[in-house]
Amino acid sequence: MNDEAQRRIAELRTLIVHHDQRYHGLDEPEIPDADYDALVRELRALEAGHPELVTADSPTQRVGARPATGFGVVLHRVPMLSLGNGFSDDDVLDFDRRVRKLLGRDAPVEYAAEPKLDGLAISVTYRDGRYAQAATRGDGSRGEDVSATVAQIRGVPKRLTGAAPALLEVRGEIILPLDGFQRLNETMAARGEKTFVNPRNAAAGSVRQLDPEVTRARPLELYVYGLGSVEPDALPARQSELLEWLRAFGFTTNPLAAIVTGPEACLDYYRRLGEARASLPYQIDGVVYKVNERQAQEHLGFIAREPRWALAHKFPAEEAFTLLRDVEFQVGRTGVLTPVARLEPVFVGGATVSNATLHNMDEVARKDLRIGDTVVVRRAGDVIPEVVSVVIGRRPAGAGAIILPVTCPSCGSPVVREEGEAVARCTGGFRCNAQRREALKHFAGRRALDIDGLGDRLIDQLVERDMVRSPADFYTLEAGSLAGLDRMGEKSAQNLVDAIAASRETSLPRLLLGLGIRDVGESTALALAQHFGDIDALMAADEAGIQEVPDVGPIVAAHVARFFADEGNRQLVEALRERGVRWPPVSIVRATEAPLAGLVFVLTGTLSGLTREQATEALTALGAKVVGSVSKKTSYVVAGEEAGSKLDKARALGVPVIDEATLVGVIADRKPPGA
Ligand code: IVH
């Protein structure tokens, strides 16, 4: 099968190159465009089924229209090499042992470690400090001239700052950050164009095409990590110093680069980066260790096409192929039907994956999924697994279409999809057991009323036996009736009753979250509480009044107003009050006058003197926003003990980091850090 595929792939590539030549070189096409497109489609499908056979020079690695002409050829004065790969700790220990043996050293060796970026390798040449040429790696000796497109990338300096050598050739990686990749694919999909499989292909495709305007419109970045030829040759003595030297000319180097001494430190760096991987703004596929001293590098030299002084320590693959066995629809708290893929279990990204959410029917249509398809599944870090794409070339005859049910799989009520909405909903409301179950779980959840010991299984039983219909019913449960449930003894029944009783003392933000108002998450609940002070004021407010709350727009305001206009919901609040649930009034904050208005904080790691919840409340009470993930818009990251990936991301993006003591000062002084 593989041989057959390989033969056909080679044949298709030859054919496509031939027709490109006829069409553009000679202006004499031999076949209609549709036939040409069919050849390209077949090649794409085969390559998707055999990613190991994809090569950089395949015609599929070009994007857009057929190129008007080919690329010029650039001979690399210094070959562009590849790297030896390591996968295990032992591979790294072996590498280090070899290095020390060849250098005749016992003492630990210093390495420059940095992320291995998953992009397009590039060589950029400057003459007298001016941009002169850019070339792809090609076969290592001969690359393609991509000077015109690379010149359009903002992060590629056109003139170097400082006294640059007469000839300076830098080597690095062109990447497309994940957010740019996502936006690009959305635009392409909206225009009905083919989307890119991953950011690496998108970066390569954006450079290896002939229209500089296309490149200019894409948010590509260049990270440099090495050199080609340099004249006159007066270079820093260490890789780490080389990076500094390059930065001084105006290049970007990876801010996560570090010096590590000895193999244990290498492995430590690898583990830390592995944890940060999923939250980095770009894709990486491993770590590169390079012997730091240039003299030692020269001594170690090369073997075949790989330097003996460097190792690529790869991360486990995050993507795998598997079979889409079925699609089921789950009904959520607000009635939304979510298609869930049932997969042939597959080990990927360090875990076995057998389910993946498909989000909504638009997504299913966009990916063109059918039951029986072979799909690419991705699991990156702790991010929930996703179905990335389907391998069309492996679609069996009669693969089944995925159809949105017309009635709710839980309660049988009609399913509707409103105009302009991506999601379909069950119209059963609280009559639907699935919705009721999810709403009750949400109410009892850790961030809402936090009823200890009231897990999902238990709530399922309470709903099935009709013992609880609304959240207020929790507060009438007695140990005697609970003791009859599965795996529930007298002791645990009493514990649960005690936990329910303890949850009566709650807070307004928790209650507002627990009510499950559409689009009201933790931060909106807090903002509503701090704006209105108590629930009666909120229940009396109209949409316009609710919209005055910071960050609450017309849609959320409408949801909130509609929720409290509902008689059943008003009765629920009353019933909770009658059954002893208490939420003290909240002191009112007017955000625009607040001392931290406009600042965005991210909390990470463990704080010792206060809980995250307390820190969040204190910061938001001063007008700041507290969000969960780091981006360029973050003002400060507060790093507690053992802060991990978010801290790394903050450093990568240059976001200021403060410690707990500074945070406590900010809260006490009611002033931004350093003010
Ligand atoms: S150093 C002598 N550093 O990985 C070769 N390469 O698998 C020196 N790559 O062709 C390469 N990130 O395109 C180096 N931080 C990094 C890298 C990196 C990505 C790529 C590079 C190379 C390929 C080898």
Side-chain angles (χ1 to χ4, degrees):
M1 171 62 200
N2 223 344
D3 284 355
E4 173 59 20
Q6 198 159 5
R7 194 195 53 73
R8 181 65 182 153
I9 285 175
E11 184 173 56
L12 284 165
R13 286 179 184 159
T14 313
L15 278 169
I16 291 167
V17 168
H18 167 77
H19 290 302
D20 277 341
Q21 184 63 24
R22 297 290 304 186
Y23 187 95
H24 295 286
L26 305 169
D27 266 344
E28 280 176 68
E30 284 177 345
I31 54 170
D33 278 8
D35 292 10
Y36 172 89
D37 291 343
L39 292 175
V40 175
R41 262 203 310 277
E42 187 186 347
L43 179 58
R44 281 221 173 91
L46 275 170
E47 288 184 343
H50 303 274
E52 71 284 1
L53 299 181
V54 178
T55 57
D57 62 357
S58 170
T60 57
Q61 303 299 298
R62 282 194 317 249
V63 284
R66 301 189 214 179
T69 57
F71 295 98
V73 172
V74 172
L75 293 179
H76 296 302
R77 279 174 292 266
V78 176
M80 284 181 83
L81 301 164
S82 58
L83 292 169
N85 288 329
F87 299 93
S88 65
D89 288 8
D90 279 343
D91 292 343
V92 177
L93 298 177
D94 286 346
F95 163 72
D96 172 68
R97 225 174 277 129
R98 226 167 28 239
V99 164
R100 278 185 294 123
K101 187 166 167 229
L102 289 166
L103 294 177
R105 277 193 208 171
D106 263 345
V109 173
E110 201 175 87
Y111 296 98
E114 60 177 278
K116 181 163 162 25
L117 298 172
D118 207 1
L120 175 72
I122 199 87
S123 168
V124 189
T125 304
Y126 291 80
R127 290 183 191 281
D128 299 321
R130 286 166 193 264
Y131 177 86
Q133 189 176 54
T136 61
R137 181 161 77 166
D139 63 5
S141 322
R142 299 148 62 87
E144 294 148 313
D145 186 339
V146 285
S147 308
T149 51
V150 169
Q152 298 300 329
I153 301 172
R154 265 169 291 277
V156 175
K158 306 299 149 348
R159 295 191 74 146
L160 302 181
T161 46
L167 173 72
L168 174 66
E169 185 186 349
V170 298
R171 301 266 166 95
E173 205 82 359
I174 292 178
I175 59 155
L176 184 62
L178 289 162
D179 56 351
F181 168 67
Q182 201 135 15
R183 265 184 282 124
L184 173 62
N185 265 358
E186 279 163 14
T187 321
M188 307 266 284
R191 286 203 222 120
E193 290 170 30
K194 193 178 150 32
T195 53
F196 289 106
V197 189
N198 55 39
R200 202 209 79 80
N201 279 356
S206 304
V207 170
R208 304 183 61 245
Q209 51 82 41
L210 291 160
D211 184 356
E213 288 306 314
V214 169
T215 318
R216 187 213 286 280
R218 303 202 176 151
L220 299 159
E221 292 176 4
L222 169 68
Y223 286 94
V224 301
Y225 45 67
L227 294 175
S229 60
V230 181
E231 287 167 19
D233 181 353
L235 300 178
R238 292 185 172 74
Q239 167 72 17
S240 49
E241 292 164 4
L242 171 68
L243 295 178
E244 265 172 57
W245 189 74
L246 287 167
R247 277 198 297 276
F249 291 130
F251 294 106
T252 306
T253 64
N254 199 302
L256 299 175
I259 300 175
V260 291
T261 306
E264 287 306 329
C266 287
L267 294 176
D268 201 48
Y269 180 89
Y270 175 85
R271 277 188 282 270
R272 282 182 56 98
L273 200 64
E275 281 163 25
R277 182 184 186 192
S279 58
L280 291 179
Y282 43 69
Q283 281 193 347
I284 61 175
D285 57 354
V287 168
V288 185
Y289 312 116
K290 303 169 194 176
V291 171
N292 203 21
E293 271 173 60
R294 200 157 59 91
Q295 241 178 17
Q297 290 183 1
E298 278 160 14
H299 183 83
L300 288 161
F302 299 87
I303 170 168
R305 318 229 68 197
E306 295 165 4
R308 260 193 292 241
W309 45 264
L311 180 75
H313 189 186
K314 303 286 280 271
F315 290 131
E318 290 182 323
E319 287 183 2
F321 286 10
T322 192
L323 196 69
L324 177 61
R325 281 181 173 166
D326 198 5
V327 172
E328 285 171 15
F329 288 82
Q330 272 175 1
V331 184
R333 173 166 61 83
T334 56
V336 172
L337 262 68
T338 305
V340 179
R342 304 292 180 212
L343 304 162
E344 183 70 37
V346 61
F347 192 76
V348 56
T352 300
V353 172
S354 41
N355 301 303
T357 173
L358 298 172
H359 304 290
N360 55 55
M361 291 307 284
D362 283 349
E363 190 78 2
V364 170
R366 195 176 69 72
K367 289 181 176 151
D368 185 24
L369 299 174
R370 312 270 169 87
I371 291 160
D373 269 341
T374 297
V375 293
V376 178
V377 175
R378 179 174 178 83
R379 180 182 179 276
D382 293 333
V383 180
I384 46 174
E386 58 167 344
V387 172
V388 184
S389 57
V390 36
V391 184
I392 298 280
R394 288 206 199 165
R395 172 166 291 167
I402 297 163
I403 298 161
L404 180 72
V406 287
T407 57
C408 170
S410 168
C411 70
S413 302
V415 167
V416 295
R417 185 167 172 182
E418 279 161 39
E419 273 289 310
E421 276 225 34
V423 297
R425 287 174 204 270
C426 156
T427 51
F430 245 51
R431 286 188 313 279
C432 175
N433 272 355
Q435 287 192 49
R436 189 197 302 274
R437 219 167 24 229
E438 294 308 313
L440 290 167
K441 286 175 190 170
H442 178 76
F443 181 86
R446 204 167 50 80
R447 292 169 187 279
L449 276 280
D450 191 20
I451 307 179
D452 214 20
L454 192 50
D456 290 1
R457 296 288 146 272
L458 212 49
I459 292 179
D460 290 347
Q461 290 186 61
L462 293 170
V463 171
E464 262 158 46
R465 298 176 191 213
D466 212 19
M467 290 167 71
V468 171
R469 311 199 112 230
S470 103
D473 296 340
F474 285 138
Y475 297 96
T476 59
L477 288 172
E478 283 164 11
S481 49
L482 285 173
L485 300 175
D486 294 351
R487 280 182 292 166
M488 177 67 77
E490 266 173 45
K491 179 93 173 63
S492 34
Q494 189 54 50
N495 287 346
L496 182 57
V497 169
D498 293 346
I500 292 173
S503 76
R504 282 194 173 96
E505 298 302 325
T506 188
S507 70
L508 182 55
R510 281 176 175 272
L511 175 74
L512 291 177
L513 178 69
L515 290 176
I517 307 164
R518 215 163 126 185
D519 289 340
V520 175
E522 220 172 352
S523 66
T524 309
L526 185 58
L528 288 168
Q530 288 177 339
H531 184 88
F532 287 101
D534 66 54
I535 202 163
D536 300 304
L538 172 58
M539 286 167 74
D542 60 8
E543 273 184 53
I546 298 169
Q547 262 196 67
E548 282 170 25
V549 179
D551 280 336
V552 171
I555 295 173
V556 177
H559 288 325
V560 175
R562 204 177 307 150
F563 183 89
F564 287 115
D566 181 285
E567 197 42 44
N569 291 331
R570 299 178 80 92
Q571 278 170 9
L572 169 60
V573 173
E574 249 356 274
L576 288 169
R577 238 197 287 249
E578 272 166 24
R579 289 170 196 177
V581 181
R582 295 274 167 268
W583 50 91
V586 170
S587 49
I588 292 178
V589 182
R590 292 278 174 240
T592 43
E593 303 153 19
L596 302 185
L599 295 182
V600 182
F601 286 75
V602 172
L603 307 174
T604 181
T606 319
L607 302 176
S608 53
L610 70 178
T611 65
R612 265 190 205 212
E613 191 180 30
Q614 288 166 334
T616 304
E617 271 186 39
L619 287 169
T620 48
L622 295 170
K625 230 161 82 169
V626 179
V627 299
S629 61
V630 182
S631 75
K632 287 181 191 151
K633 291 189 193 136
T634 311
S635 318
Y636 297 96
V637 167
V638 181
E641 286 293 305
E642 282 170 33
S645 59
K646 289 182 190 173
L647 179 56
D648 292 333
K649 183 161 179 194
R651 294 203 175 119
L653 292 176
V655 171
V657 175
I658 61 173
D659 60 10
E660 182 174 343
T662 312
L663 170 70
V664 171
V666 166
I667 295 169
D669 302 342
R670 305 173 62 85
K671 278 190 208 142

